[in-house]
Amino acid sequence: MSTELISLAVLVVVFLVATVRGVNMGALALVAAFVVGLTVYDLEVDGVLAGFPSDLFVILVGVTYLFALAKNNGTVDWIVHAAVRAVGGRVALVPWAMFLVCAAVTSIGAVSPAAVAIVAPVAMGFALRYSINPMMMGMMVVQGATAGSFSPIGIFGSITNGVVDQNDLPGNQLVLFLTTFTAAALIAAITYVAFGGRALIARGKEATAGAELSAEAEAASHAVMRSGGPGVPHSAVEAGRATAPSRDADRDERHTLDTQRIVTLVGLAALMIGALGFDLDVGFTALTIAVVLTLAFPESAKGAVEKISWGTVLLIGGIVTYVNLLQDQGVVDWVGEQVAEVGAPLVAALLICFIAAVVSAFASTTGIIGALIPLAVPFLLTDQVNAIGLIAALAISSSVVDCSPFSTNGALVVANADAADREVVFKRLMQWGMSIVVIAPIVAWGLLVVTTA
């Protein structure tokens, strides 16, 4: 077997083992880079570590650190409450409020499962009490998390744009964000109509809905902040709601825009404008804003460093290190040549989108974004297809399938569904997830690759 095939086989094994055994894929990839580098390519350790993506490391640490500060000082709480308050008691708008809350939270740097962990208990509990189809509510939550993730300061957006810059590919951060947001919103709209949205509209306004939803949103958000990560059970919302009335004054204070929340929102807006309008480095800019917030408000910054998404940092650092090893050893060029030999560039592009969708439905979206774009670089540099269009299509194909119950986001929705609905929600998410695996790559490829070729 050639060294190219050995290296690629190891990458496949890394994805499979991480999926089946639940080991951090980045840790496996770092070990794989060490073993393959020393045994297959006869490199020193320094040669292996030369591929570690220091720029992506800074981006991920900076963005997730800033989001941790926003959680600590109540800015995330304020965003959640503001969205809930905006819909009042209009039950028909609640699913869209959940979509927008998730999108807002991921767009400012939350890891997608963390956003779903905050919102899913609220959304699924509310769906049960107000007879909203739990499948529809779950899909709105997951697609909302996807919709915001590709903002210039979102995790998926930061990774994608970082990989694009690292490989000297043409990129457009705004196009990436708008296309992925539109795709997720379209899937959410189809789900809304298919699972009872019109009936909800006909029901009108219910007086107690807004107050109950607000109390649940507060309880779930604080439960996630205390736990430091996703996976909040529905019982956490019930417990929070039981004690909520005794904290009215405290809640009013948390839902007020005080000085540090205003400064945080201004910092987040400045980061977005700087990234889009002035091409500022997202990682160092986010770190700068985070450090300024820490110096200005040290009390609310306590524990923020521990809440940085170190698992995601390890994951993307390991995957990209291994892929960079393949790149340095000519494996990536070899893959590009094999793809180019397909003979039909558009067919090759569609194949790449399908691979992204299938793998991401069962494995890590973050990992597949970090791996597939570099592997497609030689093919993209041939100018046979539009690079910006294919990157956007890859992003859509690999992210909208996160509603699969085999992914973290889909599993969180199933876990937070009522016990009586859990089996049905699992089956529906599997049906829709597998359908999206087939349909999303074709539609994204047709609209973003074929039309721009």
Side-chain angles (χ1 to χ4, degrees):
M1 186 182 289
S2 67
T3 56
E4 291 87 358
L5 290 177
I6 292 173
S7 304
L8 292 172
V10 170
L11 181 59
V12 172
V13 169
V14 166
F15 272 96
L16 289 176
V17 172
T19 303
V20 174
R21 301 293 295 177
V23 183
N24 185 288
M25 191 182 300
L28 286 173
L30 280 175
V31 172
F34 172 71
V35 173
V36 171
L38 268 63
T39 60
V40 177
Y41 296 114
D42 197 27
L43 295 175
E44 299 292 335
V45 173
D46 288 347
V48 174
L49 290 178
F52 183 81
S54 55
D55 50 350
L56 284 178
F57 174 85
V58 174
I59 288 172
L60 293 173
V61 170
V63 168
T64 58
Y65 183 24
L66 183 55
F67 174 75
L69 289 171
K71 283 207 301 183
N72 273 8
N73 65 28
T75 303
V76 171
D77 227 11
W78 181 85
I79 291 171
V80 172
H81 181 71
V84 168
R85 187 175 52 197
V87 302
R90 298 173 184 83
V91 177
L93 293 180
V94 169
W96 286 107
M98 300 297 98
F99 175 92
L100 292 174
V101 165
C102 271
V105 172
T106 54
S107 72
I108 62 173
V111 180
S112 181
V116 175
I118 291 171
V119 179
V122 180
M124 302 308 282
F126 193 87
L128 175 65
R129 198 157 47 257
Y130 285 89
S131 301
I132 299 173
N133 192 302
M135 167 64 187
M136 179 243 279
M137 190 68 94
M139 284 287 288
M140 298 294 284
V141 169
V142 174
Q143 295 304 328
T146 298
S149 291
F150 284 93
S151 84
I153 62 174
I155 292 297
F156 291 168
S158 297
I159 293 170
T160 304
N161 294 322
V163 172
V164 166
D165 290 342
Q166 195 175 47
N167 290 278
D168 296 322
L169 291 170
N172 189 311
Q173 298 184 41
L174 186 59
V175 168
L176 177 68
F177 183 32
L178 292 179
T179 52
T180 49
F181 190 99
T182 301
L186 180 60
I187 292 173
I190 293 171
T191 309
Y192 185 82
V193 173
F195 289 95
R198 285 172 292 186
L200 289 182
I201 294 172
R203 281 166 56 179
K205 187 173 182 178
E206 299 187 27
T208 61
E212 290 192 3
L213 183 60
S214 181
E216 290 192 21
E218 177 193 356
S221 179
H222 282 283
V224 172
M225 280 189 262
R226 286 194 300 271
S227 68
V232 180
H234 183 67
S235 58
V237 181
E238 297 298 328
R241 184 166 8 103
T243 59
S246 65
R247 302 194 304 265
D248 287 342
D250 190 32
R251 183 187 307 129
D252 289 341
E253 182 182 341
R254 282 195 294 267
H255 294 158
T256 302
L257 266 182
D258 59 15
T259 302
Q260 62 178 324
R261 288 169 200 155
I262 293 173
V263 173
T264 303
L265 290 171
V266 170
L268 292 168
L271 178 57
M272 187 78 74
I273 293 169
L276 284 174
F278 300 95
D279 200 26
L280 295 180
D281 183 90
V282 172
F284 279 110
T285 306
L287 269 178
T288 301
I289 295 170
V291 169
V292 169
L293 287 172
T294 302
L295 292 173
F297 310 103
E299 284 300 314
S300 63
K302 290 179 180 177
V305 172
E306 288 77 9
K307 292 178 183 176
I308 292 172
S309 297
W310 294 113
T312 302
V313 173
L314 175 59
L315 188 154
I316 198 65
I319 286 292
V320 175
T321 298
Y322 188 81
V323 172
N324 283 344
L325 172 66
L326 303 188
Q327 207 163 24
D328 291 341
Q329 300 304 315
V331 179
V332 171
D333 289 334
W334 179 82
V335 170
E337 291 168 4
Q338 304 308 306
V339 172
E341 286 179 7
V342 170
L346 292 178
V347 174
L350 179 60
L351 178 62
I352 294 172
C353 289
F354 269 122
I355 293 172
V358 171
V359 175
S360 184
F362 296 93
S364 166
T365 301
T366 308
I368 198 65
I369 290 173
L372 261 191
I373 295 176
L375 290 177
V377 166
F379 173 62
L380 291 171
L381 291 177
T382 62
D383 291 329
Q384 294 175 308
V385 296
N386 182 279
I388 294 174
L390 180 54
I391 290 168
L394 273 172
I396 292 170
S397 301
S398 61
S399 61
V400 295
V401 298
D402 282 354
C403 59
S404 160
F406 306 109
S407 71
T408 305
N409 287 351
L412 280 169
V413 169
V414 174
N416 283 286
D418 184 67
D421 297 327
R422 204 162 288 156
E423 186 176 349
V424 173
V425 171
F426 178 87
K427 288 180 178 177
R428 290 291 189 190
L429 284 177
M430 185 167 62
Q431 291 167 355
W432 276 68
M434 295 306 103
S435 298
I436 292 172
V437 165
V438 175
I439 296 170
I442 295 174
V443 175
W445 169 79
L447 293 176
L448 297 170
V449 180
V450 175
T451 58
T452 59

